[in-house]
Amino acid sequence: MRKLNYFFGLIALLFLLVACAKADEKNAVKVGIRSSELKTWEYIKKQAAKEDINLDLVTFSAQYDPNQALAEGEVDMNAFQHVAYLNLFNTSNDTDLQAIGTTIMAPIGLYSNKYKSLDDMKEGAKIAVPNDPSNWGRALLLLQENGLLTVTDNFDGNGGEDRIKDNPKKLNILPVDGATTPRVMEDADFAIINNGVAVEAGLLLKDAIIHENETAKPFINVIVARSEDKVNETLKKIIDIYQREETAKFIEDISKGNYIPVKMPLDELATWKEFYLH
């Protein structure tokens, strides 16, 4: 009788272990990120664990696109890109990856070693901008939003010398390698600098004369999943954790105010194309 009880006890234990393993597997989520997002996602991982969600953080180098990993099923979601980048990837690769929640903005800004405000910007002022098409276009949109120029009617978000429609101040736009924009400030009057490049140069967002805000919807960063997982309840819980006030405070603290946490409904985010047309 004792052997029989032992046998049934062993069977029950095995069933329990299998059930626990299945539960863990159900709540296990692989998240593709870049190293710049690691601190934030380590925090998210700790918070998710309190709700029985196991996050596996998969850090990708610059040589591999986390979108490719997501499309091929290597990760369940990723968090590294803004809306415009996602749109371009889907168009170029015939994929249907979906934004399922907003995270942050890493705003570009206009900096100067010589001037303190836009009121100091004279006719013909030299403004250095990153020369890659995406960030060049982003720089032009920042200048347009602040009434300094107007982009062409068919503007698609990419920059170029032919993308300026009106330039009343006759601003001299100087495209340069994005990594050199802080150094070019010595020769130019102003420079538009990417967030990460600015931080590496010791510049904070508060030092910028102007910078992007949440009206620049194409450049809001998002959590992305495959279309069939858009309504996945576990992924929704992770988004909820990311968008909590405590998480926003953590992000603001570790980034020294350089990242702006963004909580925006997806239907509002979907109107991003209107930003190009205003």
Side-chain angles (χ1 to χ4, degrees):
M1 187 69 179
R2 192 173 293 175
K3 288 184 178 180
L4 191 61
N5 288 339
Y6 175 79
F7 174 76
F8 282 119
L10 182 60
I11 293 296
L13 178 61
L14 287 173
F15 273 117
L16 181 61
L17 290 173
V18 170
C20 289
K22 287 184 176 179
D24 287 343
E25 183 178 342
K26 181 180 179 182
N27 290 326
V29 178
K30 286 187 175 182
V31 186
I33 59 172
R34 299 285 195 204
S35 58
S36 59
E37 296 290 315
L38 186 57
K39 287 184 179 180
T40 296
W41 278 95
E42 285 177 338
Y43 173 86
I44 299 294
K45 181 175 181 176
K46 290 179 182 178
Q47 304 310 308
K50 297 175 184 177
E51 301 185 27
D52 298 321
I53 300 172
N54 177 28
L55 293 188
D56 181 6
L57 307 181
V58 183
T59 305
F60 290 96
S61 68
Q63 284 70 43
Y64 193 65
D65 194 325
N67 277 336
Q68 196 64 46
L70 179 59
E72 294 175 0
E74 295 178 23
V75 296
D76 301 303
M77 54 187 273
N78 66 40
F80 77 101
Q81 65 193 310
H82 52 56
V83 178
Y85 184 92
L86 172 62
N87 182 69
L88 180 61
F89 180 89
N90 279 331
T91 300
S92 301
N93 295 276
D94 194 28
T95 50
D96 187 28
L97 304 180
Q98 298 282 321
I100 60 173
T102 57
T103 57
I104 61 168
M105 279 202 76
I108 62 170
L110 178 76
Y111 297 83
S112 177
N113 286 336
K114 304 172 183 177
Y115 304 104
K116 299 297 183 183
S117 76
L118 291 184
D119 295 335
D120 299 325
M121 188 175 290
K122 300 175 182 177
E123 185 171 309
K126 296 179 181 179
I127 304 178
V129 302
N131 64 3
D132 63 286
S134 175
N135 285 307
W136 190 344
R138 197 170 173 178
L140 294 181
L141 288 173
L142 178 64
L143 295 174
Q144 173 176 268
E145 187 173 10
N146 287 273
L148 297 171
L149 53 75
T150 305
V151 299
T152 54
D153 295 334
N154 62 346
F155 187 70
D156 62 358
N158 292 309
E161 295 178 1
D162 60 340
R163 303 305 174 95
I164 299 175
K165 180 180 179 180
D166 296 308
N167 186 2
K169 280 184 170 288
K170 297 181 175 58
L171 301 175
N172 188 0
I173 307 298
L174 307 172
V176 300
D177 185 293
T180 69
T181 44
R183 295 195 298 274
V184 174
M185 277 200 295
E186 299 301 323
D187 301 313
D189 298 304
F190 302 87
I192 293 181
I193 307 175
N194 283 84
N195 193 284
V197 175
V199 170
E200 289 178 3
L203 297 169
L204 299 177
L205 193 60
K206 66 181 183 179
D207 299 322
I209 296 172
I210 54 173
H211 60 74
E212 290 172 326
N213 54 46
E214 291 178 33
T215 61
K217 294 177 185 177
F219 310 117
I220 293 174
N221 283 23
V222 287
I223 294 173
V224 176
R226 292 180 294 276
S227 57
E228 61 266 29
D229 292 328
K230 192 170 183 179
V231 294
N232 182 292
E233 290 301 322
T234 301
L235 301 192
K236 285 184 177 180
K237 288 181 181 178
I238 297 169
I239 292 166
D240 175 70
I241 293 169
Y242 198 112
Q243 294 182 343
R244 291 174 184 169
E245 290 184 10
E246 305 94 297
T247 305
K249 180 66 167 56
F250 177 83
I251 292 171
E252 289 168 348
D253 287 346
I254 64 167
S255 72
K256 298 181 180 178
N258 286 304
Y259 290 166
I260 301 175
V262 177
K263 182 178 180 180
M264 181 177 291
L266 290 175
D267 56 350
E268 183 178 344
L269 186 67
T271 64
W272 67 271
K273 288 185 179 180
E274 296 175 3
F275 182 81
Y276 290 146
L277 304 176
H278 76 290

